Amino acid sequence: MSVEFVIKKKIQGFSLDISMKSSARRIGILGASGCGKSMTLKSIAGIVNPDEGNIVINGKTFFDSKRKINERTQKRNVGYMFQNYALFPNMTVEKNIFCGLACGKEEKMQKAEKMIRKFRLEGLEKRYPHELSGGEQQRVALARIMAYEPNIILLDEPFSAMDMFLKDQLFKELMQFLEDYEGTVLLVSHNRDEIYQFSEEILVLDHGKSICQGNTKEIFKNPRKKEAAKLTGCKNISRIHKISDYQILAKDWNLKIHTKEKVNDDISYIGIRAHEFIPVWEMPKQNAIPIRQYEITELPFEHKFFIRTDGEKEIYWYVQKEKMKIIKEKGMPKYLEIPEEEILLLE
């Protein structure tokens, strides 16, 4: 299984210019709203025609602008799950599943019955989409896709309009249903938790551009790019001035910081995730942010501190509920220490 594409497209003032090559079975595309995620999927599916580039899925060329290849959507054998599932409102569950299958009536019914059993839709065959719950609609949409036996499945933010409880429940179900699917699945989302749980590899987009690609866990651990760090959840990012190979000045915090990793000349920012600070009640040796003032937001399972420093920007410090006990016992720390191994050096 493999995915390879170069997609260039200009439309209404927006420019998409991205590329990716991967042999992973589960791929995520992470980016903010409007960055080109959905346009990428629509280009793969043949709904949108790129201006330039090529799209090759599992060795089959869908699109190649130089060779004048542009396979019709129907020939690409792509399963596309839209945000709203795009079920036909005037068709029953059963008909939604087998509608469009290129086979005889008896075979259509057999495939529909198989999918109804697989996706636990027994008893719902004659119902219409408006009579189904959100979870049932998702299962019907996925059953319809799987009935086609597609070479690749494209998931276009399928959980974006759901509340947290339903989203978690349906995400778990989706992962279970896809366990025995051997083809490639590509999920686009602005939600970093969904992408992290789902993907073996990710492509990170920013304003229509590819900014990094690779192993999901490695990119979350060390995103390398400022925008990738923000998209993967880093709340604290500062401009820097390089003092030496292993020391920088974090301009926005007015703080000198020693680094474990060598600071190359292409590094312009430093990042530290909000959960990585170490509270210190005495003066630490180095990398210490003095706490001058702070505000606190108490949530059910964590506390969020907004620390005012000697610099221009606040520091975000998130403390899980079980770790708040020591702070309640000892009082607010005087400093927050930045562990050298948790520092993100960013281009």
Side-chain angles (χ1 to χ4, degrees), residues 264-320:
N264 295 322
D265 291 339
D266 56 356
I267 299 300
S268 303
Y269 299 88
I270 187 174
I272 179 74
R273 297 190 185 276
H275 291 94
E276 302 296 353
F277 294 106
I278 298 173
V280 179
W281 284 264
E282 303 296 333
M283 179 64 188
K285 293 180 181 178
Q286 61 185 16
N287 295 357
I289 298 173
I291 298 176
R292 304 301 187 203
Q293 292 179 299
Y294 66 92
E295 294 178 4
I296 182 172
T297 299
E298 295 187 17
L299 299 174
F301 304 108
E302 71 177 358
H303 287 56
K304 294 185 177 182
F305 290 89
F306 306 94
I307 309 296
R308 293 191 180 90
T309 69
D310 292 334
E312 300 172 9
K313 283 188 177 180
E314 288 184 326
I315 292 283
Y316 295 82
W317 178 35
Y318 295 170
V319 183
Q320 293 178 338

Side-chain angles (χ1 to χ4, degrees), residues 300-345:
F301 304 108
E302 71 177 358
H303 287 56
K304 294 185 177 182
F305 290 89
F306 306 94
I307 309 296
R308 293 191 180 90
T309 69
D310 292 334
E312 300 172 9
K313 283 188 177 180
E314 288 184 326
I315 292 283
Y316 295 82
W317 178 35
Y318 295 170
V319 183
Q320 293 178 338
K321 187 177 180 180
E322 62 271 17
K323 294 182 179 179
M324 278 299 299
K325 293 178 182 177
I326 188 170
I327 294 174
K328 289 179 179 178
E329 291 172 1
K330 299 180 68 172
M332 193 66 179
K334 294 181 180 179
Y335 301 91
L336 294 181
E337 183 180 346
I338 302 174
E340 288 187 3
E341 63 273 15
E342 301 299 341
I343 292 172
L344 304 177
L345 299 178

Side-chain angles (χ1 to χ4, degrees), residues 81-98:
M81 182 184 284
F82 294 87
Q83 293 180 22
N84 61 359
Y85 307 135
L87 299 176
F88 296 107
N90 60 335
M91 289 187 183
T92 63
V93 166
E94 187 177 61
K95 288 183 179 179
N96 260 289
I97 293 172
F98 69 61

